[in-house]
Amino acid sequence: MIHPAFISRLRGVLPAHAVLVDREDVVPFESDGLSAYRNVPDVVVLPENEAQVVAVLQLCHAEQVAVVARGAGTGLAAGALPVDGAVLLVLAKLNRIKAIDPLARTAVVEPGVRNLAISEAAAPHDLYYAPDPSSQIACTLGGNVAENSGGVHCLKYGLTVHNVLRIRMVSIEGEIFEIGSGAPDAPGYDLLALCIGSEGLLGVVTEVTVKLVPKPELAQVVMASFDDVAQAGDAVAAIIAAGIIPAGLEMMDKPATAAVEPFVKAGYDLDAAAILLCESDGTPEEVAEEIARVRAVLTGCGARDLRVSQSEAERLRFWAGRKAAFPAVGRITPDYYCMDGTIPRKRLAEMLSAIAAMETKYGLSCANVFHAGDGNLHPLIMYDMSLPGDWEKAEAFGAEILELSVALGGSITGEHGVGIEKIKQMCVQYTTPELETFHAVKAAFDEKRLLNPEKAIPSLHRCAEYGRMHVHRGELKFPDLERF
Ligand SMILES: Cc1cc2nc3c(=O)[nH]c(=O)nc-3n(C[C@H](O)[C@H](O)[C@H](O)COP(=O)(O)OP(=O)(O)OC[C@H]3O[C@@H](n4cnc5c(N)ncnc54)[C@H](O)[C@@H]3O)c2cc1C
C-alpha cells in the first residue's frame, strides 16, 4: 500500500490530472493483455514529458518505492502487471513523432507512439517501420523496445533490436542516458542490445530512434494448403533450407482458420489441416522469381493447393486473417491463453504432435498460429475462467509447451517476453550461474531493484521451489540463495 504522503509528493511534481488514485480510475490498469493476471494499482501516473518522468523516478528512488512502466498494456506476459506498493508509470501520453528524416531513413519518436503510427507518418516518403506486431494498431514503441517485439516481417527485416539505432532512457535515479547512435555500430559493449528486451527492468525509455526501410515496389503472398500439419511444418524448414528468406512465413492450423474465416472472410481453405502464408517482396522481377521457387518447394513438400494474391487488396486480406487470429479465437471461447515458445524450425512437426497429445491430457482445445519462419509458436489454449480449475489446467498446458520448447532446443519466448507469466520457466531455460549473471546486470542498473520488481528474472528462491518439482538444467547452489 502506498502511503498517502507519498501520493501528495507525486502531486507536487505532476499536474493533478496526471495522478490517478480513485478506484474507478485505476481499475482499467489492473492487467495487460494477459488478463488472467490482475492486480489493481494503488496509484497510476501519466506524465506528459520526459522532465515529469525524471521527477517521478527521482521521487520513487529517494523514497524506495517500486515503479512499473506501462505503454498501451497489450503485452501478453503480464510484464506491465501492477506490483503491490508500486507506482504504475504510464508512458502513453509521451506520443509525439519528433522527426522523420527521409534522407537518413530514420524516425525519432517518444515511447507512447503507436507502432503503426510510424509507418503512417513515413508513408509520404515511401518508407515504413518494418517490425509489425499483430497488435501494431495499439502497442507502443516503448513496449516494443522493452519486449524486443517481432511480427510477420521480422523474418526478413529483423526484430525491434535490428531496427533501433538509439534509445534515450531514464535510470531509476532519474538520470538521463542515451545508448547507440545514428551510426550502424559503436565500439564497446553492445548496451543497446542489452536494454532492448529488458522488460522495463533497467530504465524507462523516453525516446527511440528507429530505422525506416523503403516500401517494396511489389509484395505478393502465396497461400498453400496442406492435408497434414506435419507436412506444412516440414515445408517451412524446406523453404529456408532452399536459401529463400521470405518477407513473411506464417502458418495456421485448422482450428485457427476455422475461427478466423467467419470473422475476417480472408478466403482461407477450411478443409486444409494447415495453411502456410509466404510473402515475397521486391521488384516485380524479384517477386516473380522468388514465388516460382517457393511454389516448387511447397509442391515438392505436398501442398495440395496454391494461390497467389493477385492484388494488394487480396494480399492484405490474406494477412488480415492471420493478424486477427487472436481476437478471432477470442470470439469462439470465453477465454484463451496465448503461448510464445520458439523452437528450431525443423522440429515444428514434433511440437505439433505433442500439443495434440496435450489437448487430450488437459481436456482443452488449442488453435495454433505461428511465425513459422522464425520457429515462433503461438498456441492459443481455449479455456473458461468461470469453470473451477480450468485456468489452472490452461496454465499447466502452457507450461508444458514452454518446457518442451526448451527440450527441443528452443526458448520459452520468441517475442512476448517473460514478465510474470514465464518466470518459473526461466528456471528451466537457464542455469543458476546464468541467472546470477542476469541479477548482476540488473544490480548494475538498479541496485535497489525498484524497476519492475518480481518480473522477468526469477529469484533463486523461486527456482529452488520450482526445482523441487521440475528438472533444473543447472546445479542449484543453495548457500548462494540468500544473495538474491
Ligand atoms: C492481439 C495481440 C497481438 C499481438 N501480437 C504480437 C506480435 O505479433 N508480436 C509481438 O512481439 N507481440 C505481440 N503482442 C504483444 C504486445 O503487443 C507486445 O509485447 C508489445 O510490444 C507491447 O507493447 P505495449 O505498449 O502494449 O507495452 P505494455 O504491455 O504496456 O508493456 C510491456 C512491457 O514493456 C515495459 N514498458 C512499456 N513501456 C516502457 C517504457 N517506455 N520503458 C521501459 N519499459 C516499458 C512494461 O513494463 C512491460 O514490461 C500482441 C498482443 C496482442 C494483444
Side-chain angles (χ1 to χ4, degrees):
M1 186 70 190
I2 290 191
H3 199 279
F6 180 77
I7 307 278
S8 302
R9 284 195 277 283
L10 277 174
R11 291 205 166 107
V13 298
L14 292 174
H17 62 264
V19 182
L20 309 180
V21 287
D22 291 342
R23 193 174 159 82
E24 65 269 28
D25 292 335
V26 296
V27 162
F29 299 94
E30 67 178 346
S31 78
D32 63 6
L34 179 50
S35 57
Y37 294 84
R38 288 165 197 261
N39 193 21
V40 177
D42 292 335
V43 56
V44 176
V45 297
L46 292 124
E48 286 155 14
N49 54 50
E50 188 184 64
Q52 292 177 358
V53 174
V54 169
V56 170
L57 290 172
Q58 280 174 341
L59 189 59
C60 289
H61 184 250
E63 310 243 347
Q64 302 217 20
V65 171
V67 184
V68 177
R70 175 178 165 121
T74 66
L76 291 172
L81 183 76
V83 172
D84 285 341
V87 169
L88 191 72
L89 174 64
V90 179
L91 282 307
K93 288 196 171 173
L94 275 74
N95 61 0
R96 283 184 311 142
I97 296 181
K98 290 178 153 179
I100 300 259
D101 182 341
L103 286 182
R105 289 185 182 162
T106 57
V108 182
V109 304
E110 290 187 333
V113 168
R114 292 174 306 109
N115 174 295
L116 190 60
I118 302 179
S119 294
E120 287 167 352
H125 307 288
D126 279 332
L127 297 170
Y128 75 109
Y129 177 59
D132 55 345
S134 302
S135 52
Q136 67 183 151
I137 195 167
C139 66
T140 67
L141 249 287
N144 290 180
V145 167
E147 300 291 10
N148 189 20
S149 296
V152 164
H153 285 118
C154 290
L155 176 61
K156 183 165 177 179
Y157 295 101
L159 298 160
T160 301
V161 70
H162 306 112
N163 289 276
V164 167
L165 288 168
R166 191 184 61 92
I167 52 177
R168 193 172 155 99
M169 292 174 91
V170 184
S171 72
I172 184 63
E173 289 91 355
E175 191 186 325
I176 296 169
F177 58 103
E178 292 190 4
I179 307 175
S181 71
D185 200 8
Y189 295 123
D190 191 350
L191 296 181
L192 190 59
L194 175 67
C195 289
I196 295 175
S198 60
E199 302 197 29
L201 267 72
L202 304 183
V204 174
V205 178
T206 51
E207 190 182 286
V208 189
T209 304
V210 299
K211 294 182 202 170
L212 300 172
V213 290
K215 278 194 197 166
E217 260 182 72
L218 179 69
Q220 278 185 294
V221 178
V222 181
M223 179 160 68
S225 309
F226 288 85
D227 286 329
D228 179 21
V229 181
Q231 269 183 337
D234 290 342
V236 170
I239 287 175
I240 305 293
I244 303 166
I245 306 291
L249 181 53
E250 302 279 312
M251 181 168 153
M252 298 168 75
D253 71 1
K254 196 171 188 169
T257 53
V260 163
E261 188 55 25
F263 184 43
V264 179
K265 301 191 174 41
Y268 293 159
D269 178 351
L270 293 178
D271 296 326
I275 63 162
L276 279 188
L277 295 167
C278 182
E279 178 162 296
S280 291
D281 67 2
T283 62
E285 296 75 20
E286 285 166 345
V287 171
E289 197 249 319
E290 189 169 281
I291 284 191
R293 291 176 65 206
V294 166
R295 290 181 79 119
V297 174
L298 291 173
T299 308
C301 289
R304 77 160 151 73
D305 190 30
L306 292 173
R307 279 171 57 194
V308 181
S309 61
Q310 295 303 317
S311 64
E312 183 59 6
E314 191 175 27
R315 181 184 80 88
L316 292 176
R317 205 163 51 246
F318 285 174
W319 282 128
R322 165 61 190 88
K323 293 208 169 194
F326 296 2
V329 168
R331 285 171 77 231
I332 59 165
T333 173
D335 298 285
Y336 71 88
Y337 181 28
C338 172
M339 305 311 300
D340 173 43
T342 299
I343 52 168
R345 281 179 292 262
K346 62 178 191 233
R347 308 203 74 169
L348 273 177
E350 240 172 295
M351 175 55 102
L352 285 169
S353 316
I355 291 177
M358 289 178 213
E359 289 186 75
T360 311
K361 175 175 167 186
Y362 292 102
L364 296 175
S365 303
C366 182
N368 287 290
V369 298
F370 309 94
H371 298 304
D374 296 314
N376 185 195
L377 319 163
H378 288 323
L380 301 164
I381 301 167
M382 295 175 240
Y383 71 101
D384 184 346
M385 192 59 120
S386 68
L387 296 178
D390 230 34
W391 161 243
E392 287 72 17
K393 278 196 284 177
E395 210 179 13
F397 189 159
E400 195 168 336
I401 293 174
L402 296 181
E403 291 177 20
L404 181 59
S405 301
V406 178
L408 292 177
S411 129
I412 59 169
T413 173
E415 54 182 20
H416 295 171
V418 175
I420 288 283
E421 181 214 11
K422 307 183 189 79
I423 197 140
K424 289 180 186 160
Q425 282 70 43
M426 284 290 279
C427 311
V428 176
Q429 179 98 50
Y430 291 109
T431 61
T432 298
E434 286 165 333
L435 291 172
E436 284 174 337
T437 307
F438 289 155
H439 282 290
V441 171
K442 165 77 171 162
F445 281 78
D446 173 21
E447 204 183 350
K448 294 179 181 169
R449 293 163 208 286
L450 295 176
L451 286 170
N452 217 1
E454 301 163 33
K455 310 273 178 68
I457 316 289
S459 69
L460 299 187
H461 282 285
R462 192 191 278 269
C463 286
E465 222 168 77
Y466 197 56
R468 283 190 207 115
M469 295 177 281
H470 292 259
V471 179
H472 188 277
R473 281 207 296 132
E475 187 194 343
L476 279 173
K477 292 185 286 178
F478 286 90
D480 283 356
L481 290 179
E482 295 313 316
R483 288 170 43 214
F484 300 109

